[in-house]
Amino acid sequence: MTTDYNIRPLEIDDFPAFLNIQREALLQAPEVFGSDYDWFEGLSVLSKEQRFEKYVNYPYQYLLGAVDVSGRIIGMIGYSGQEQMKLRHKGRLWGLFVLEEFRGQGIASKLIASLIETARDILEVEQIQLTVSTHNEASYGLYLRLGFAVYGTELRAMKVDNYYVDEYLMVKFLV
Ligand SMILES: CC(C)(COP(=O)(O)OP(=O)(O)OC[C@H]1O[C@@H](n2cnc3c(N)ncnc32)[C@H](O)[C@@H]1OP(=O)(O)O)[C@@H](O)C(=O)NCCC(=O)NCCS
C-alpha cells in the first residue's frame, strides 16, 4: 500500500497514534524491542504517557515518525543522545519499525537518513550505534547498505520465551 506521509519528530499530541504503532511493533517484532508486550499492556495510560514524554525531547532524545495525512504513524525510529561530555560524541538508534503493509517503499531508509542528518548537522554527534538481531536479515542488510559496520556481537543479548537472541553491535562514523 502506498500513501503520502511526512517524516517529522513526534510530539506530545502524537501519543495516541504512537500507542497504536508501538503495540503493533511489540506484537509483531518481539525481538526488536527490549520491552515485553504483556508488561507494556499492563502499564497504566499515565505511565505509558510518561515514558513517551521522556522520548520526546527533540533533538536530544526523540522519536521520528513517518506520519500520514490522517495522523497515523506508519513508521518510526528512536534516537537517544548522551548528556555527559565524554559521551556526547555518541548517539544511539533504536526502535525502527514500519507497518507491514508499507514496507519495501524506502520508509525505513528515509527515517534512518533523517536521524543521521539531525545527529550530524544539528547535534554534531560523531557516531551512531545500534544493535540488531543476528537473524534479522532485512534490517541487517539495510544498516550495512546505509554504511553501518559490525564491531562486535553480543551473545544471548535477549531471551524471548525460551530461546536466546544474539545481536550484532553496529556503528556508523559520521566524521
Ligand atoms: C526492517 C524494516 C524497518 C524495513 O522497513 P522498510 O520501510 O521496508 O525498509 P526500506 O523500504 O527502506 O527497505 C530497506 C531495504 O531492505 C530490504 N528489505 C525489506 N524487507 C526485507 C525482507 N523481509 N527481507 C530482505 N530484505 C528486505 C528492501 O529490499 C530494501 O533494500 P533495497 O533498498 O536494496 O531494495 C521493516 O521490515 C520492519 O519494520 N521490520 C520489523 C521490525 C524490525 O526488524 N526493525 C529493525 C530492528 S533493528
Side-chain angles (χ1 to χ4, degrees), residues 28-29 32-33 93 95-99 102-110 130-133 136-139 141-143 145:
Q28 261 193 34
V32 171
F33 301 95
L93 177 169
L96 176 65
F97 183 77
V98 174
L99 294 180
F102 297 102
R103 289 182 192 162
Q105 301 174 37
I107 296 176
S109 309
K110 286 188 189 126
L130 62 86
T131 58
V132 57
S133 307
N136 189 339
E137 286 173 24
S139 314
L142 173 62
Y143 294 135
R145 189 166 57 75

Side-chain angles (χ1 to χ4, degrees), residues 1 7 14 30-31 38 54 56 64 67 74 79 105 111 122 148 150 152 168:
M1 195 187 290
I7 289 185
D14 294 306
E31 300 164 9
D38 291 332
K54 276 197 215 150
V56 181
L64 281 181
V67 186
I74 61 173
Y79 174 84
Q105 301 174 37
L111 286 165
I122 300 182
F148 287 83
V150 173
Y168 291 130

